[in-house]
Amino acid sequence: MDTTAFSEDPTIQKVETYSQDHPEEQAEVESEAETETETETETETETETETETEAEVEVEVEVEVETEAAGAEEGEKTLTFSPTLVTIPSVKQGPVTCSYTYLSEIPSLLSTKNVKEAQQSWEQPPCVLGIDEAGRGPVLGPMVYGLCYCPLSEYETVKKIGFSDSKTLKEENRERLLKTVISRNDIIGWAVRVLCPQTISSDMLKKEKYNLNAQAHDTTINLIREVLAQGVNVTEIYVDTVGTPNTYQAKLKRNFPGIEIIVEKKADSIYPIVSAASICAKVTRDMVLRGWEFEEKLLNKEISHDFGSGYPSDPNTVKWLKSNIDPIFGFPRLLRFSWSTCENMLKKQAVSIIWPEEEAGQNSINRLLEEHAKKTEKRPKLFENLRIKRVSEL
């Protein structure tokens, strides 16, 4: 039985601060962030984006994700609320109020005892590792990064299991394949990072925007580091790209020198180990949504869980959004408030808040609150008798 505990962390560990050492990478990431911001409304509202060319998809990453999933066949369907069906180890019970990581135990074939007996050596066998994500484009629910690895000596065995891009598989086939991943813990290890919607939104809405590409890169790097920290000898890594493959690949190679790293578009349909990772991510996200418990407890009984696929181009998702917006409180925390779909609906259907103009000489509403606190704060009797003032009052 897998006894690995969840690792909760509401923030993403930022891996690399861009500096003058990599000005071209910084410029590219900023350009991609601007592109995402400028075209997000069009991406989320126009279903024509499903037929965008490959070149356009490379620039507009959110279009790529939404397009792939929006045209993703029978696998993308409404998930029925059923907490009792949450049976995979990567899904936590209860409301998802912060991001967390699930990390399986290393495969038994890689345990020190077995390696010593089989090879008369303490050196770990070389392993191949793949990474992919699920839920980058939806306006609601978490984004999940999946990781899967196995010994290179067993990669042919893993290939024969029949992994392929999760978006091309029916839901029951994805779940069957994940059960295989779990049961083959003799040769397969896996992990997921579940980024809750509020983590995504708060990071993207900061004054210094932590855009979706940067979040994805850092999440990938941190997942790889956690596997390496278990003592797994990773010698090959395959990643489905976010942004320009060459730039992303160079970044990963700087963080993991000595490891062969390939970053490609559509890697989840090229490399079976990446396909396996995509299944870990996709099934985890689907299960999280299927058993979603609102942090706003009363909503669990009051509103429907028929979210659709979560993509802004999905009519079922749009219907759910329109039916469950509150004119005062807006949407529950299931939503990603940084998405323009959410923002535009709030502007149209929720009441506006008008802030009174600040009085002359006042810097902000915080100043008003501070003044009120000073007036109501009780001061020691001695201070009052001696008429002692605060420095700020002089």
Side-chain angles (χ1 to χ4, degrees), residues 73-141:
E73 65 345 301
E74 311 160 11
E76 292 292 3
K77 61 184 181 181
T78 299
L79 299 171
T80 305
F81 176 60
S82 181
T84 58
L85 292 179
V86 181
T87 57
I88 61 174
S90 57
V91 176
K92 294 179 59 179
Q93 297 289 344
V96 179
T97 57
C98 67
S99 301
Y100 68 88
T101 300
Y102 168 80
L103 195 67
S104 77
E105 294 180 340
I106 65 172
S108 57
L109 183 64
L110 300 180
S111 70
T112 302
K113 179 181 177 182
N114 288 345
V115 170
K116 185 179 179 183
E117 291 176 352
Q119 302 180 3
Q120 297 301 311
S121 170
W122 288 96
E123 293 182 2
Q124 288 282 22
C127 292
V128 58
L129 180 151
I131 291 185
D132 196 16
E133 54 75 32
R136 180 181 167 86
V139 66
L140 55 80

Side-chain angles (χ1 to χ4, degrees), residues 283-298:
V283 176
T284 296
R285 174 179 154 81
D286 284 353
M287 288 289 194
V288 168
L289 276 179
R290 184 180 298 166
W292 187 268
E293 292 186 44
F294 289 100
E295 186 177 356
E296 306 86 349
K297 295 181 179 179
L298 292 178

Side-chain angles (χ1 to χ4, degrees), residues 364-375:
S364 67
I365 193 168
N366 290 335
R367 177 75 178 270
L368 294 173
L369 295 173
E370 288 170 4
E371 292 294 332
H372 176 73
K374 288 176 184 177
K375 290 177 183 177

Side-chain angles (χ1 to χ4, degrees), residues 16 18 22 24-29 32 58 217 241-254 263:
E16 187 172 311
Y18 294 100
H22 309 291
E24 73 293 338
E25 187 170 324
Q26 168 66 7
E28 183 167 350
V29 170
E32 288 173 356
E58 181 174 357
H217 291 183
T241 194
V242 172
T244 305
N246 290 342
T247 304
Y248 191 13
Q249 183 170 294
K251 180 177 182 179
L252 290 174
K253 285 186 174 181
R254 285 197 301 274
V263 177

Side-chain angles (χ1 to χ4, degrees), residues 45 139-140 303-304 306-307 312 314-327 330-332 335 341-342 344-346 348-350:
T45 57
V139 66
L140 55 80
I303 66 176
S304 165
D306 296 332
F307 310 125
D314 182 344
N316 291 327
T317 298
V318 174
K319 179 181 177 181
W320 186 91
L321 292 171
K322 289 180 177 179
S323 301
N324 293 288
I325 183 171
D326 186 278
F331 291 111
L335 271 286
T341 298
C342 180
N344 292 336
M345 281 193 172
L346 289 171
K348 291 178 181 179
Q349 299 185 42

Side-chain angles (χ1 to χ4, degrees), residues 371 373-375 377 379 383 387-394:
E371 292 294 332
K374 288 176 184 177
K375 290 177 183 177
E377 183 182 341
R379 304 182 65 191
F383 280 39
R387 297 181 181 178
I388 297 175
K389 294 183 176 182
R390 299 183 182 89
V391 174
S392 60
E393 294 175 344
L394 297 176

Side-chain angles (χ1 to χ4, degrees), residues 327 347 350-354:
K347 285 180 179 178
V351 296
S352 299
I353 298 176
I354 301 174

